[in-house]
């Protein structure tokens, strides 16, 4: 029992280190990269705080050098998944009844562990296992992850402060309970921080979690789990089970006590989960909360008044950083004919400077795409453009998988705003551009709004304020995160809460209080100080 009201101060975003040549962080990170390459890891499933090294294993490989093994990971089966569900249910009572500030302290401590002694280890595992350059790994697996762990406890505190009014003689209050059951989480390969948040956000408010990490991001996800455990997370609160998606769906998603599902990944998978839950809705104890951030076909829309230098910089970084493997990556652009000549010239020049290769070479902006399936999928889209009369491959387009899964930064010029690569998500370093007549601004805005089913991120480049207002209004529902004169990527916790709608998800804004509310079930309590003892109302008295 405590007799105090605790306060968490408003957090600050974790500073991003520069990794300049010869700096302490660079030397530490390069040494850690070599250490991890020389010391393969056997990643277990972790259930109820115990490690399970299983006979069924799979290799962890570097996407930029697929002959290089980083170790193996245990592949959990139905038996282990059932154990994970049982562990989550067994841990629920103790965890939800722990004082909220004690729960919060675990995640705040985890953030300090991450940004302190585990910074190089986490960043190196993300670079090697997910083929990120040092900057992309730093902003993801260290800074954004730490921000989630620090901002969410503050947001939770502010939620708990929200209480109803109480007239004289009554005390009304609201309790913010966790959901009635456990939460299932499936995380993506492209952001270690997102995986951590899919787990920690529901857990922070008192839920227990069964976590399926991406099988192409197992190593960094494993280190997230180890950090949470070192910070004091009790056994069974989060259960780490690398496994096949079909097994997870059959054992975990179909379980009657699944109360919530937290997801980042493809629209196709999320739609399948939604249908699956709907078909079995009568079997659940409560209506599961389904929260998903899914695909994107994110745009840059340029007005004739755009600053061309800034526009091209945003196109290159927005489309090709982390090989375009961000749900927010710029994958389509609309450029007015009056600017196209200058834009094309500068685009060729800037892309010509982009270096691509091994993550250990810090001069490389780009590295490899995540695996062979992704590589082949991207190549099919590029080949489609090559063979079409409605498009041409303007820049790049070469694909080489002899050492790693490398795809050149590629620009496709489309003759129509509805060409295949202007509409469908590719998830690779491919930017398709449609050059529109300046006088067809309204028609092109309509095409941008309606051509694709997604609505995640988008950007406008213009100097005229009237144009910014017009374009932002026309694309009001085309993006959940909208940028003015900036690339449509790089949302920061506490600054740009992230999420989209339409085919891009439920827009429950990771990195904000909105997301935490989804894992909470309120209980309203009314207490009467002097209870009524008379049945009749005053107006019923005899005259």
């Amino acid at each position: 029992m405590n007799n105090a009201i605790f306060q968490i101060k408003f957090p600050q975003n974790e500073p991003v280190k520069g990794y300049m040549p010869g700096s302490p962080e660079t030397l530490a990170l390069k040494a850690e990269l070599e250490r991890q390459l020389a010391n393969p890891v056997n990643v277990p499933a972790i259930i109820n705080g115990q490690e399970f090294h299983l006979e069924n294993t799979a290799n962890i490989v570097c996407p930029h050098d697929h002959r290089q093994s980083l170790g193996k990971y245990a592949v959990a089966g139905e038996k282990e998944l059932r154990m994970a569900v049982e562990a989550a249910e067994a841990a629920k009572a103790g965890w939800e009844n722990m004082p909220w500030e004690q729960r919060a302290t675990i995640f705040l401590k985890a953030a300090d562990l991450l940004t302190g002694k585990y910074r190089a280890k986490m960043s190196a595992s993300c670079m090697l296992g997910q083929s990120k350059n040092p900057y992309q790994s730093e902003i993801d697996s260290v800074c954004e992850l730490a921000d989630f762990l620090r901002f969410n406890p503050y947001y939770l505190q502010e939620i708990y402060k929200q209480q109803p009014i109480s007239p004289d003689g009554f005390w009304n209050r609201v309790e913010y309970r966790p959901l009635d059951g456990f939460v299932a989480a499936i995380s993506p390969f492209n952001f270690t921080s997102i995986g951590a948040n899919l787990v920690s956000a529901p857990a922070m408010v008192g839920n227990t979690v069964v976590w399926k990490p991406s099988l192409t991001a197992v190593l960094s996800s494993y280190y997230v789990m180890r950090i949470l455990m070192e910070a004091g997370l009790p056994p069974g609160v989060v259960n780490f089970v690398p496994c096949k998606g079909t097994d997870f769906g059959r054992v975990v998603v179909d379980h009657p006590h699944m109360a919530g599902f937290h997801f980042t990944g493809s629209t196709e998978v999320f739609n399948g989960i939604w249908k699956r839950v709907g078909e079995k809705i009568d079997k659940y104890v409560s209506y599961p909360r389904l929260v998903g951030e899914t695909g994107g076909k994110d745009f840059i829309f340029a007005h004739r008044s755009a600053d061309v230098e800034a526009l091209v910089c945003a196109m290159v970084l927005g489309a090709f950083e982390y090989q375009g493997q961000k749900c927010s990556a710029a994958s389509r652009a609309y450029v007015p004919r009056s600017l196209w000549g200058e834009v094309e010239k500068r685009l060729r020049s800037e892309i010509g400077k982009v270096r691509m290769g091994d993550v250990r070479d810090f001069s490389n902006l780009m590295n490899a795409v995540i695996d062979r399936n992704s590589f082949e999928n991207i190549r099919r889209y590029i080949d489609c453009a090559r063979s079409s009369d409605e498009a041409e491959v303007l820049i790049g387009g070469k694909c080489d998988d002899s050492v790693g899964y490398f795809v050149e930064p590629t620009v496709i010029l489309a003759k129509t705003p509805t060409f295949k690569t202007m509409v469908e998500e590719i998830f690779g370093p491919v930017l398709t551009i449609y050059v529109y007549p300046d006088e067809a601004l309204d028609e092109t805005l309509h095409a941008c709004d309606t051509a694709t089913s997604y609505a995640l991120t988008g950007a406008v480049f213009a100097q005229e304020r009237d144009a910014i207002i017009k374009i932002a209004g026309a694309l009001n529902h085309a993006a959940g995160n909208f940028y003015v004169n900036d690339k449509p990527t790089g949302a920061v916790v506490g600054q740009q809460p992230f999420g989209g709608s339409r085919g891009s998800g439920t827009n429950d804004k990771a990195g904000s209080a909105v997301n935490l509310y989804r894992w909470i079930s309120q209980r309203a309590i009314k207490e009467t100080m002097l209870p009524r003892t008379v049945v009749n109302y005053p107006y019923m008295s005899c005259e």
Side-chain angles (χ1 to χ4, degrees), residues 97-152:
N97 289 316
M98 181 183 287
W100 77 268
E101 73 279 359
Q102 300 295 336
R103 292 198 307 266
T105 300
I106 293 169
F107 299 99
L108 294 171
K109 181 177 180 178
D112 287 352
L113 288 170
L114 168 66
T115 56
K117 68 177 183 177
Y118 289 116
R119 193 182 202 110
K121 187 172 189 175
M122 178 60 76
S123 190
S125 69
C126 184
M127 290 175 68
L128 293 171
Q130 292 143 266
S131 204
K132 293 197 173 191
N133 67 34
Y135 177 75
Q136 290 298 311
S137 183
E138 167 80 1
I139 62 175
D140 166 26
S141 65
V142 177
C143 297
E144 183 170 275
L145 202 165
D147 288 348
F148 278 131
L149 295 173
R150 289 172 176 152
F151 276 82
N152 278 343

Side-chain angles (χ1 to χ4, degrees), residues 266-268 270-271 293-296 453-456 500-505:
S266 75
T267 301
E268 180 183 7
F270 192 57
N271 287 349
E293 190 264 292
T294 57
S453 61
Y454 301 106
L456 188 53
S501 58
R502 293 181 180 169
S504 292

Side-chain angles (χ1 to χ4, degrees), residues 299-303 305-307 310-311 314 457-473 475 479-489 496:
F299 61 84
I300 292 177
F301 199 102
H303 182 258
S305 67
D307 179 327
L311 170 64
T457 74
V460 56
F461 273 79
Q463 295 302 307
E464 296 177 7
R465 182 53 52 178
D466 285 347
I468 293 171
I469 294 170
K470 175 185 178 72
I471 294 169
L475 301 176
N481 282 59
F482 191 75
Y483 297 79
V484 178
N485 293 320
D486 202 348
K487 58 185 172 63
T489 66
Q496 299 94 26

Side-chain angles (χ1 to χ4, degrees), residues 236-258:
V237 172
V238 174
N239 300 277
F240 175 82
V241 281
C243 64
K244 296 179 180 178
T246 51
D247 290 342
F248 192 84
R250 187 163 49 250
V251 177
V252 180
V253 175
D254 288 355
H255 197 283
H257 291 163
M258 189 192 77

Side-chain angles (χ1 to χ4, degrees), residues 23 53 106 163 169 453:
S23 65
H53 294 274
I106 293 169
Q163 293 295 320
S453 61

